[in-house]
Amino acid sequence: MGGTEKTKVTVVALLALLLALEVIYLMPCILFPFLECFNPAKKALKVKAKEPLLIIADLHLIRVEGDVLSKVRSFIVKNHVKTLVIAGDLFHRPPPFVLREKGKLDKLVTVLDWLTPNYKLTVYFTPGNHDPHYGQHRLQLDNLTIFIYREIYIETKSLKILVIHGDQMVRTGMLHHLINRITGTLLVEKLAKKLMGLGEDTWLVMGHSHIAGIDFKGRVANPGSLCNNPLTAILVENKTLRLINLS
């Protein structure tokens, strides 16, 4: 093989390597079956939760309509929700005042405390790619208990549910959105569940795509977004999940 041909082979190999690295960056889920440290199901915090349980996602609060939090709180009070799960992107990029650890936790607590009714509420928050980096926390207020963890495995009296934001699976929400929109299914969620090795009896709930849906056969779901109409969420009670409209 001549020098020119060797150079061409080297260039092709480098391009192939760069393409592979780009694919892995955009879809880190490819690594789940090979490296447990990348698998959200292996890292999840395991908790027991009470129903009714409300799952919301993707509020992107910097640009959300002002009455959305009021609608969430009204639903919580009216339906006596015991557990609130926020599947990431509560905020939309950390503004300057939440860059410091104390500041960003204060901002989070202020929002969640405002949502809290006059009875005890437990909130599980799985931060997304638009949220500040909080680390892992358990915070206790008068009527409010907050768990902050990137992956949370929830057991209710009737169901098992793994909740993640979804950027662990597909890096960008736009790519997640496009895949599900083009296929007309929760393809990313179903692929994620398979790659994570979740049992058939376990539900996987992800945000990130802003496309709401429930696949009862595959036991995967997405609550959609609270920064786009209709304002959708998932209610867990009586041994099932159902999509609801908060608009």
Side-chain angles (χ1 to χ4, degrees):
M1 184 181 294
T4 303
E5 290 181 351
K6 286 183 179 179
T7 301
K8 288 181 179 178
V9 170
T10 301
V11 170
V12 170
L14 286 173
L15 289 174
L17 177 60
L18 288 173
L19 179 60
L21 290 174
E22 181 68 13
V23 170
I24 291 172
Y25 173 78
L26 290 173
M27 300 190 69
C29 58
I30 293 171
L31 300 174
F32 291 174
F34 310 106
L35 298 171
E36 284 195 358
C37 60
F38 285 91
N39 189 338
K42 304 297 183 182
K43 301 186 290 182
L45 173 69
K46 295 183 178 181
V47 300
K48 293 186 181 297
K50 295 180 179 179
E51 300 177 9
L53 182 150
L54 179 67
I55 305 176
I56 61 176
D58 295 282
L59 286 81
H60 294 273
L61 277 179
I62 287 178
R63 60 186 178 87
V64 77
E65 293 181 11
D67 65 343
V68 169
L69 290 177
S70 297
K71 290 179 179 179
V72 174
R73 189 181 191 281
S74 295
F75 185 89
I76 289 172
V77 173
K78 183 178 179 181
N79 294 273
H80 206 73
V81 170
K82 298 287 199 319
T83 307
L84 174 65
V85 180
I86 305 173
D89 283 0
L90 177 61
F91 299 106
H92 186 71
R93 293 195 179 96
F97 57 83
V98 297
L99 290 178
R100 294 178 295 106
E101 179 71 13
K102 186 177 186 299
K104 60 191 178 188
L105 280 176
D106 286 348
K107 177 65 175 176
L108 174 65
V109 168
T110 297
V111 171
L112 297 182
D113 190 45
W114 192 89
L115 287 173
T116 305
N118 58 356
Y119 60 83
K120 292 187 182 298
L121 179 73
T122 301
V123 176
Y124 297 104
F125 176 40
T126 62
N129 53 308
H130 284 286
D131 292 308
H133 296 286
Y134 294 99
Q136 299 170 9
H137 294 277
R138 181 185 186 279
L139 307 173
Q140 183 66 57
L141 283 71
D142 291 340
N143 282 329
L144 178 63
T145 304
I146 306 169
F147 291 86
I148 306 171
Y149 213 92
R150 281 277 283 161
E151 303 91 4
I152 297 180
Y153 184 88
I154 299 171
E155 286 191 41
T156 71
K157 61 183 179 181
S158 58
L159 295 170
K160 300 174 183 177
I161 308 168
L162 176 66
V163 180
I164 63 175
H165 176 59
D167 56 314
Q168 303 97 320
M169 177 68 191
V170 176
R171 190 76 62 181
T172 69
M174 183 176 293
L175 180 57
H176 187 171
H177 181 97
L178 285 174
I179 292 172
N180 283 7
R181 181 67 69 192
I182 290 170
T183 61
T185 67
L186 297 179
L187 179 61
V188 172
E189 286 79 356
K190 289 190 282 189
L191 180 60
K193 183 174 179 178
K194 184 174 182 179
L195 289 173
M196 284 189 280
L198 288 179
E200 291 183 2
D201 63 335
T202 300
W203 280 87
L204 173 63
V205 177
M206 294 167 51
H208 202 37
S209 72
H210 294 212
I211 298 177
I214 297 179
D215 183 324
F216 288 97
K217 183 178 179 180
R219 291 208 168 194
V220 296
N222 194 309
S225 169
L226 291 184
C227 68
N228 306 107
N229 283 316
L231 305 176
T232 55
I234 288 173
L235 184 65
V236 180
E237 63 177 349
N238 300 325
K239 300 182 180 180
T240 191
L241 284 69
R242 63 185 175 95
L243 207 59
I244 59 171
N245 191 333
L246 300 179
S247 298

